[in-house]
Amino acid sequence: MMFPRQHHQNKTASITTRLAVHLCPPASSIMKIFSVLFLLVIPPSSAFTPSFAHTKKKSKHSTSAIFNAADFKVAYDLNPRNTFLLDIREPDEWAEAHLSIATPNPLTVLSSGKWMDTTTGKYYPGTFPIDRFTGVSIVKNAKIYVHCKMGDRAKEGVEMLEQMGYSEVVALTETFDELVAAQLCDIISGEVQSLTDG
């Protein structure tokens, strides 16, 4: 014999079960929905995409990224010892006028010589950039902003430096005249006397 309260509970449970069956889709439908959502959320170039060892490794800073004098100024103010403004114009251009905080490394010098990749043992064209204030190679973890007169050589220089292992190197968008107008520092003239001229 059932008491009225028990009968009511059993009837409620039966209705709840029937509603759950009709309102909730089967587990396979839920999995399909999650699969579609997963594919929409994860971009095609994810950890699940095969990688090929023979493809050229891209640095995290693309040469097509837009960096300007203001970006350099902020980085230089935060860490002047590890932020460099590399002037890759030729010596005669440097002698005419240059930014006082710039380091001269003409593209012709940067692209001369050879360096060896220690992981592969292969030699590549190029010479590591020299810090004019210390006379030694610029460390690889330095932030390097490259400029020239119009921008094309700066992009070439960035590509070379990236191949050498510099990961934080970018070309500035401004021409030399625009950098002068931005008043980042004093503009001086004269030839480079030595690697450590001041």
Side-chain angles (χ1 to χ4, degrees):
M1 176 163 176
M2 252 194 219
F3 294 105
R5 186 168 172 91
Q6 276 183 324
H7 178 68
H8 179 68
Q9 287 175 344
N10 286 342
K11 193 173 184 181
T12 305
S14 174
I15 292 171
T16 306
T17 304
R18 278 187 264 143
L19 280 174
V21 169
H22 291 291
L23 295 178
C24 296
S28 63
S29 296
I30 292 174
M31 290 305 295
K32 287 179 186 175
I33 292 170
F34 280 119
S35 297
V36 170
L37 288 175
F38 181 74
L39 290 174
L40 292 174
V41 172
I42 303 297
S45 60
S46 70
F48 301 103
T49 318
S51 69
F52 300 98
H54 64 275
T55 58
K56 185 180 176 185
K57 182 181 174 185
K58 285 279 191 182
S59 91
K60 63 182 174 180
H61 295 285
S62 170
T63 55
S64 62
I66 298 173
F67 289 89
N68 59 29
D71 297 318
F72 165 75
K73 185 67 172 150
V74 168
Y76 187 79
D77 288 345
L78 289 172
N79 190 357
R81 297 183 120 181
N82 203 39
T83 304
F84 293 87
L85 180 60
L86 210 61
D87 184 339
I88 62 169
R89 298 175 305 144
E90 294 305 312
D92 59 326
E93 295 172 288
W94 171 271
E96 271 182 44
H98 57 270
L99 303 169
S100 63
I101 58 176
T103 296
N105 274 270
L107 185 60
T108 54
V109 173
L110 198 62
S111 59
S112 68
K114 287 187 178 184
W115 63 276
M116 184 181 82
D117 183 338
T118 56
T119 58
T120 63
K122 291 183 180 179
Y123 287 90
Y124 295 95
T127 303
F128 288 95
I130 303 295
D131 176 0
R132 86 173 218 226
F133 298 107
T134 64
V136 297
S137 293
I138 296 174
V139 294
K140 294 220 178 159
N141 66 349
K143 287 186 178 207
I144 302 175
Y145 294 81
V146 183
H147 85 86
C148 62
K149 183 172 180 149
M150 299 304 291
D152 292 334
R153 288 179 286 177
K155 291 174 187 169
E156 282 182 59
V158 166
E159 288 176 12
M160 288 193 73
L161 292 169
E162 285 176 337
Q163 186 179 24
M164 290 178 189
Y166 290 91
S167 59
E168 303 241 4
V169 56
V170 295
L172 292 179
T173 58
E174 289 91 354
T175 64
F176 178 71
D177 291 336
E178 290 169 334
L179 289 173
V180 169
Q183 299 178 347
L184 295 173
C185 60
D186 292 335
I187 308 303
I188 53 179
S189 60
E191 295 179 6
V192 178
Q193 300 304 314
S194 69
L195 288 176
T196 57
D197 75 333

